[in-house]
Amino acid sequence: ISKKTNKKTNNQSGSNNGNTSNDHDRRLSEDEDDHEVPFPRVYTAVVPKPTTQDDDGDNINNDHVFGAEVDLLDILSTSLPHPFTNTHVKISFLVHTQLELDYLIDLADDIATVKQLMIDTVSTQTYHLQANELRKQQQQQSEEDQEEEEQQQQGTRKLTIIPSYHCYKNLAHSILLFKRLASQNRNPALDITITDIGDSWTKSRNANEGHDIWALRVTGNGVSMAGRTTEKGILYVQSGLHAREFAPPELVRRWITALIDDYGEDGDVTSLLDHTEIHIVLQTNPDAREVVERNPSEFRRKNMNTNRGNENSCGAGSFGVDLNRNFPFKYGSSSSSLSNSPCSPIFRGDYAASEPEIRAIVDYCTSIFPASQRQANPEQQIDNPVQQNINGIFVDVHSYGSLMGHPWFFQHRSSPNNVDMVQLTDKIRHHNGYGVWGQTSGYTYTASGTSVDWAYGVLGTAAILFEVGDSFYQNCNEFNENILGSNAKALNYAAKVSRRPFQLSKGPDIIEHHINGFNQALQYDIIASDSDWASSSSSTDAQQGVNHIKAYINEHPDDATNGIFPEGIILPLTNTYGYYGAKGLIDISSLPFGQHTMYIQATDTSGFAGPVTAVYFTRTTISYRGTTSAPSPIPTQSPVIQPTTKPQSTRSPTVVPPTFSPTPRPSRSPTKGPTKLSTRSPSSQPSEYPSGKPSEATLNPSTTTSALPSLSTTPSLFPTLVPSIVTSSPSRDYICDDSRTGERVFINETIGAVPCHWISARPSEKARICDPAHPSDAYSVCEETCDKCIDSCEDDPDALFEFRDILRNCAWLSLRHHLLEEACVEEIALLACPETCNVEGCELLGMDNDTHQHQ
């Protein structure tokens, strides 16, 4: 604790000898030990604005003193979450050392307000993402506290998981969390509603027993809030139809929860929800689920109907109706796997839709899928295909088998839309690596009265069966490692193509993308394929070449403004290692600083457009330093072309392709899912140079973007956390030209593009970052900073001096030229940092004191 801190706490606490400060510092340290959080860290603190007295004795704010004090620390943001007051301000600081933390504690009026927010690196984009993760954690903790309070009020502490299966929430808790997704939604751009659509069999007999059946509807309002219109896809997902299948409800619940959490934070997820209505019935057989959770030895599959049998006549777990034989399409077909025996595990029930659970599903789905798609006489028209432009996908998730299937199931025969179903299923199962159950690979068995046959045959929608995992009571390791992540991606794809499942699945997919925003240019590297995610059994419609790739800035191609759709920009195609791609730059100089969205869509040579991929990017204050294929500058016109009524365009793109290193051919074999559920695509966050290390020629060209409109007078909405230095270079040979310009950047593997002088200010990082083998490639980009300048400077970057009661080093002073006059006296910094205090400016960074701009 600094001397000033001890003095302050002694004055405030009397005889406590500074225990308040020490206790708080100890609490901070304990938290750090718990989480093993290294510096730098982000803290918030409520800081008083110093006051002085005027000639009349009145207190007045001394903003100059306040600014000088807080400037000794790196400020991330102010006024969060409340605005300035007359006497205090809440500020978020990036703290690099324990000394800085001590100083921050000293500044705070109440040391209890000094709170560590999160681990952070020097990146505003990373900061915002991690801040969101913190909010999620706090919300989750709040939910857990609320749940505990509710349980205490009820006088019970029920377990929230299935015994012996810690990864699965039990029925009561899963429904509670399911409801909270709607009740605790505070995002006006996200519409979440939950509806009681019917009763279980037990509740239909006794209103005081049994369970309700709940349906959740989730969709984003981003399109309408932007004043546009769109046709949304419809995705219906149900699980739990067979009670003994533990994994499906947990998979579906975590998947939709992750989508809701990522809305507004991930571009692709936000676009997905803005253009899709997702409907979920999580627990379709709740009575039996509750029983089998208590008594898994029953292996109960059916519901709890006792009309035709009971525990005495059939045995525990054997009475009831198989709900997946009770749907009103091809019910009781003589050639299908079913039984009239009440004790059979596949007992079909007394008549079609005899069970209240099935009637609830049928009524709800009939209300959400378009009536115009239905056949007049479904069971007499099983050979009549539905239209290619249908809207909607019906998904029923079961276990087990690691398989996917599509109609027909009631007979060993293909549906009239078999080519379409095969193509759609292939694209979806690319993400989970599952086999297929259908005509192309052999049938396992037939089954009539099933959900999937009913959805396709009666509702006229695409219908897909998931059989996840390899056990009814799937072990948690397998669930977390190989089921959760991969099937979440599969469901994401289904949602993306749900508006036109038979058409969009035939179009090319964006299989890899890397998008980076700079000051005036947007850098893109995109790979598309029509066949990469399709198997050899797929139709030839999915085996075409890519005709073109289009980019849309802040406008989705399916969103209309006054009936007019955006035209987009056609990107020049390349063919690398047999894959169609596009690499280049788009002029974004007309966009405001901050976050924007790039929508990408590819079209094949048959005219089929694939699903849209959306990526957030940020226009930053960092200039792009790559080369172009021609000496001419990037075109200056806006990338958002004036929309027309034509959905396709042959207009030349406003882009220039740079000479990037070729992207290695990616591996395309399906892989199992990650250990942690993520709804985001692997490339949804900016990655500076996906092809490996950028070459020096790429980052340090002779050509520049000087012909672009100047934006030097435009204030940045997202200021960088390191100074932006644009100065002239002195003639002395050992000055760091690469640092002096403030323009040359290297790509740090965790925080993105940063200037070379970032290294100078962090001498402890120099050896690691400047290693020629380091992936940042700083050695070639910032060669003077790494090899010449710092080594030739007489000052030791780590040399310490005491300034305003705090120990600082020369590297710290080199970033604060406005303090040189005060700090560079013999008693303070001059002896420790003579070159830093030199009138020529800081030789560590190569700054010119006369023209240095302190941000």
Side-chain angles (χ1 to χ4, degrees), residues 160 162 168-179 194-201 210-216 236-254 256 279-293 303 323 356-358 360-361 396-397:
T160 62
I162 300 174
Y168 302 126
K169 301 297 184 184
N170 63 21
L171 175 78
H173 194 56
S174 67
I175 292 177
L176 176 63
L177 294 177
F178 199 55
K179 291 180 179 178
I194 191 162
T195 306
D196 179 357
I197 64 172
D199 297 331
S200 66
W201 186 88
H211 300 84
D212 297 315
I213 297 176
W214 297 95
L216 187 77
Y236 171 87
V237 182
Q238 68 178 31
S239 58
L241 207 58
H242 292 148
R244 65 191 179 188
E245 299 169 3
F246 279 1
E250 187 70 17
L251 163 65
V252 174
R253 184 189 66 80
R254 291 205 210 177
I256 192 61
H279 301 260
I280 294 176
V281 180
L282 189 70
Q283 298 285 0
T284 51
N285 189 4
D287 291 346
R289 176 70 175 216
E290 186 175 46
V291 171
V292 80
E293 287 176 357
N303 74 350
L323 297 180
E357 296 93 344
I358 299 304
I361 294 170
D396 193 0
V397 185

Side-chain angles (χ1 to χ4, degrees), residues 323-380:
L323 297 180
N324 208 27
R325 300 294 187 275
N326 196 242
F327 280 86
F329 178 82
K330 291 298 178 180
Y331 168 82
S333 173
S334 59
S335 61
S336 298
S337 173
L338 55 88
S339 176
N340 290 325
S341 170
C343 299
S344 168
I346 53 174
F347 175 52
R348 67 183 184 180
D350 291 330
Y351 53 89
S354 62
E355 305 311 293
E357 296 93 344
I358 299 304
R359 292 196 295 273
I361 294 170
V362 167
D363 291 345
Y364 184 74
C365 289
T366 302
S367 70
I368 64 174
F369 286 104
S372 59
Q373 299 176 179
R374 300 169 197 165
Q375 304 278 18
N377 298 292
E379 297 205 13
Q380 285 72 46

Side-chain angles (χ1 to χ4, degrees), residues 125-192:
Q125 295 186 27
T126 302
Y127 169 74
H128 288 298
L129 290 173
Q130 292 181 338
N132 180 65
E133 292 299 321
L134 177 72
R135 289 192 295 270
K136 294 177 186 176
Q137 294 172 10
Q138 292 174 335
Q139 181 180 0
Q140 181 179 2
Q141 183 63 46
S142 175
E143 292 174 0
E144 292 175 355
D145 294 343
Q146 179 180 345
E147 177 189 354
E148 183 176 354
E149 182 179 351
E150 291 174 357
Q151 291 178 349
Q152 289 176 341
Q153 291 174 351
Q154 296 170 358
T156 182
R157 287 182 175 272
K158 297 181 179 179
L159 288 174
T160 62
I161 61 173
I162 300 174
S164 301
Y165 295 91
H166 62 86
C167 58
Y168 302 126
K169 301 297 184 184
N170 63 21
L171 175 78
H173 194 56
S174 67
I175 292 177
L176 176 63
L177 294 177
F178 199 55
K179 291 180 179 178
R180 284 182 180 169
L181 293 176
S183 64
Q184 296 188 355
N185 176 41
R186 298 295 183 268
N187 190 340
L190 198 56
D191 186 9
I192 308 176

